Amino acid sequence: VLYKESVGTGTPTPITPEMERVKRNQEICSSVLYKENIGKATPTPVTPEMERVKRNQEIISSVLYKENVGKVTPTPITPEMERVKRNQEIISSVLYKENLGRATPTPITPEMERVKRNQEHISSVVYKEGLGKATPTSVTPEMERVKRNQEHISSVLYKEHLAKGTPTPMTPEMERAKRNQENISSVLYSDSFRKQVQGKAAYVLDTPELRRVRETQKHISTVKYHEDFEKSKGSFTPVVTDPITERVKKNMQDFSDISYRGIQRRVVEMERKRVDQDQENLTG
């Protein structure tokens, strides 16, 4: 705080091309001087003896580390501890939000978008210029074998460090909480889906390439359909005939005959004539 109070207000100056050139020259000079101070070294091959000593050192370090670790007594997580933990998280969240000041949002103008894109392009170009040339090396069977052995060793060491766990039964209360969480997750997902996706269509340009692919798919589907039809033509599926099926079949045939021949209409006319004749007999 005292340091910041003693610092006065400064006037920002734009970075000119001359300043950029001086900065790059300084970096190049620093790199050259650093490399001049480094003497010449003689590379030594890694022998099997050096590998053995290295492994022994790692094993000794691991053993000493485990010896210095004392014995601890595990304590169960009680509801009171859970409550205190949640309260601490809530208090931390509240204090964090209180320390945040008020900010003034500024709209993103087209000029800001243009500058942002230019910066991305410049960063990409500078990054690619800084990359040196590399020599690709082929993956030999020996390298593959060493890689597989390392994976097996890592898996074995990982499983050795795992302690034994105590299974806990699934109580009705845990089942109820699990279902409630699933319901809440489903409701939140549905709300976000309705707000963001539902009712909005994804527009895709109808390019000549898409039209060509669509036509090709239609032709392929037509050929496949005719091929399946030719294979299934002349074949049938046997069905067991039971009394109920026979009765339904006969009723359907009777209905079809009545509708086709107009028998129903003639029956109605004959019924009407009979009624009229009965009426005349009663009045006569």
Side-chain angles (χ1 to χ4, degrees):
V1 174
L2 295 176
Y3 171 74
K4 293 183 179 179
E5 288 181 354
S6 61
V7 176
T9 58
T11 304
T13 57
I15 298 176
T16 60
E18 181 65 21
M19 294 172 67
E20 289 286 342
R21 186 182 63 79
V22 173
K23 184 178 178 181
R24 283 197 301 272
N25 291 339
Q26 288 292 332
E27 292 175 355
I28 295 170
C29 292
S30 299
S31 176
V32 172
L33 293 175
Y34 173 75
K35 293 180 180 179
E36 287 179 355
N37 293 330
I38 296 176
K40 295 182 179 179
T42 304
T44 57
V46 179
T47 60
E49 182 65 20
M50 294 172 66
E51 290 286 341
R52 185 182 62 79
V53 172
K54 185 178 178 181
R55 283 197 300 272
N56 291 339
Q57 287 293 330
E58 291 175 356
I59 295 170
I60 293 170
S61 299
S62 178
V63 172
L64 293 176
Y65 173 75
K66 292 181 180 178
E67 287 179 353
N68 294 329
V69 176
K71 295 182 179 180
V72 296
T73 304
T75 57
I77 298 176
T78 60
E80 181 66 17
M81 294 171 67
E82 289 287 342
R83 185 182 64 79
V84 172
K85 184 179 178 181
R86 284 197 298 273
N87 291 340
Q88 287 294 331
E89 292 175 355
I90 294 169
I91 293 170
S92 300
S93 177
V94 172
L95 293 176
Y96 173 74
K97 293 180 180 179
E98 286 180 354
N99 293 330
L100 292 178
R102 295 183 179 179
T104 304
T106 57
I108 298 176
T109 60
E111 181 65 18
M112 293 171 68
E113 289 287 343
R114 186 184 63 80
V115 173
K116 184 179 178 181
R117 284 196 301 272
N118 291 340
Q119 287 294 331
E120 292 176 355
H121 294 159
I122 292 171
S123 299
S124 176
V125 172
V126 172
Y127 173 75
K128 292 180 180 179
E129 287 179 353
L131 292 177
K133 295 181 179 180
T135 303
T137 58
S138 58
V139 179
T140 60
E142 181 66 18
M143 294 171 67
E144 289 286 342
R145 185 183 63 79
V146 172
K147 184 179 178 182
R148 283 196 302 272
N149 291 340
Q150 287 294 329
E151 291 175 356
H152 296 332
I153 293 170
S154 299
S155 177
V156 171
L157 293 177
Y158 173 74
K159 293 179 180 178
E160 287 179 353
H161 293 156
L162 289 179
K164 294 183 179 179
T166 304
T168 57
M170 186 72 70
T171 60
E173 181 65 19
M174 294 171 68
E175 289 286 344
R176 184 183 64 79
K178 184 179 178 181
R179 284 197 300 272
N180 291 340
Q181 287 294 330
E182 292 176 354
N183 294 336
I184 292 169
S185 300
S186 177
V187 171
L188 294 176
Y189 173 76
S190 300
D191 289 343
S192 63
F193 174 77
R194 282 194 295 269
K195 291 178 182 178
Q196 299 178 6
V197 180
Q198 192 174 17
K200 297 180 181 179
Y203 297 97
V204 181
L205 295 177
D206 192 8
T207 59
E209 182 65 19
L210 285 174
R211 286 196 293 272
R212 185 184 64 78
V213 172
R214 189 164 56 245
E215 290 294 331
T216 305
Q217 288 294 330
K218 288 180 182 178
H219 296 328
I220 294 172
S221 300
T222 304
V223 172
K224 182 67 176 174
Y225 171 75
H226 284 292
E227 183 180 351
D228 295 339
F229 175 75
E230 292 295 333
K231 288 181 180 179
S232 62
K233 188 170 63 175
S235 61
F236 62 93
T237 303
V239 180
V240 179
T241 304
D242 54 352
I244 297 176
T245 306
E246 289 289 340
R247 183 176 60 80
V248 173
K249 184 178 179 181
K250 187 174 181 304
N251 291 339
M252 293 300 296
Q253 189 171 0
D254 294 341
F255 288 144
S256 299
D257 292 342
I258 291 172
S259 300
Y260 177 72
R261 298 175 183 177
I263 297 174
Q264 183 68 23
R265 185 171 61 255
R266 284 186 289 176
V267 170
V268 173
E269 291 176 358
M270 292 173 65
E271 184 67 22
R272 188 168 56 250
K273 289 178 181 180
R274 187 181 65 80
V275 173
D276 293 340
Q277 188 176 3
D278 291 341
Q279 292 289 336
E280 288 176 1
N281 292 333
L282 291 174
T283 55

